Amino acid sequence: MNGSSHGCASSLQDDAEVGADAGSTDLEGYHLNDALADRCREDASQMDGEQEGTTGNICSDSFDAQGFLDEMCRRNASFCSALALIPRDGCEDPLPLTVSPAGQSITSEAVEAVNTAFFAGEEKSTIEAAGRFLHAEGCIEEEGHFVAEFKSTSDSEASGGAFAEGTRRAVFLLFYDGTMDRAKALQLIKGLQDYLVEETGV
């Protein structure tokens, strides 16, 4: 689980487009809105003046996890059905569990299983999260990212799956339905993870 900074996948403009894989389909809906990006930069600038030796990232206490997830869910509804930040094991100050849409349930057993899904040799269990039953399928390592993949245990068309990737203080989860493009969902979580690590320090 790699929580280090990666190269930004987006210019943070409303019309930013990211390929689902290198040199192929454009991910037209992937973007971070200008207001959110501006707010993040303002917070980072204020932190620079208050703390010596700051990295320029937003203080974690000022990060609006629910607002961020809600906004990204709304703007990328074609590529994900739910987003979550879950506490990262081994972190001294992990983020609290936050899910969008609000009210979706992720069990404590699922939180533990997602955290262990990144490690070889750990039992790959079935988890219950955001109204889905998902089985850990292994990890994808590409473009500087290390992403755990989960697939639905259901055969229904709307089953889909999920991807998870670590940040400094959380594990970021993206859920997609069976009618959505898996490759675009994977590209989306990598781009948003880049943003969380580089712009917020979360």
Side-chain angles (χ1 to χ4, degrees):
M1 184 163 45
N2 189 346
S4 61
S5 295
H6 309 298
C8 280
S10 169
S11 64
L12 306 184
Q13 299 300 312
D14 279 346
D15 59 352
E17 296 181 348
V18 178
D21 18 62
S24 70
T25 310
D26 283 338
L27 183 58
E28 295 178 350
Y30 168 65
H31 42 241
L32 294 165
N33 73 328
D34 293 335
L36 179 60
D38 289 344
R39 186 181 72 197
C40 289
R41 292 190 184 98
E42 282 179 14
D43 288 345
S45 178
Q46 290 174 4
M47 182 179 173
D48 278 342
E50 294 170 359
Q51 291 186 320
E52 183 179 354
T54 179
T55 62
N57 290 330
I58 299 172
C59 176
S60 352
D61 291 341
S62 69
F63 175 65
D64 179 6
Q66 190 67 61
F68 173 81
L69 296 180
D70 288 347
E71 179 70 4
M72 293 303 101
C73 265
R74 183 183 71 81
R75 298 188 69 85
N76 296 286
S78 298
F79 310 109
C80 67
S81 52
L83 294 171
L85 287 163
I86 67 173
R88 178 173 175 172
D89 283 353
C91 174
E92 292 184 1
D93 185 24
L95 286 183
L97 174 64
T98 311
V99 187
S100 181
Q104 295 274 7
S105 173
I106 296 180
T107 66
S108 57
E109 292 81 7
V111 170
E112 181 179 353
V114 170
N115 271 279
T116 60
F118 297 92
F119 300 100
E122 293 288 344
E123 181 182 355
K124 305 304 183 187
S125 56
T126 297
I127 66 170
E128 182 178 1
R132 302 160 173 81
F133 288 94
L134 304 163
H135 185 74
E137 295 288 319
C139 293
I140 302 163
E141 189 170 4
E142 61 182 30
E143 300 175 346
H145 290 265
F146 194 60
V147 181
E149 181 170 14
F150 299 83
K151 291 186 178 177
S152 175
T153 59
S154 170
D155 293 328
S156 71
E157 184 178 330
S159 55
F163 293 110
E165 186 170 15
T167 69
R168 292 184 175 94
R169 297 178 55 208
V171 179
F172 185 42
L173 267 169
L174 180 150
F175 301 89
Y176 65 94
D177 292 339
T179 55
M180 297 174 179
D181 189 306
R182 173 189 172 277
K184 291 180 179 179
L186 176 59
Q187 187 65 22
L188 179 59
I189 192 173
K190 291 190 294 183
L192 293 180
Q193 192 267 3
D194 279 340
Y195 177 82
L196 284 170
V197 170
E198 293 187 4
E199 297 290 339
T200 73
V202 166

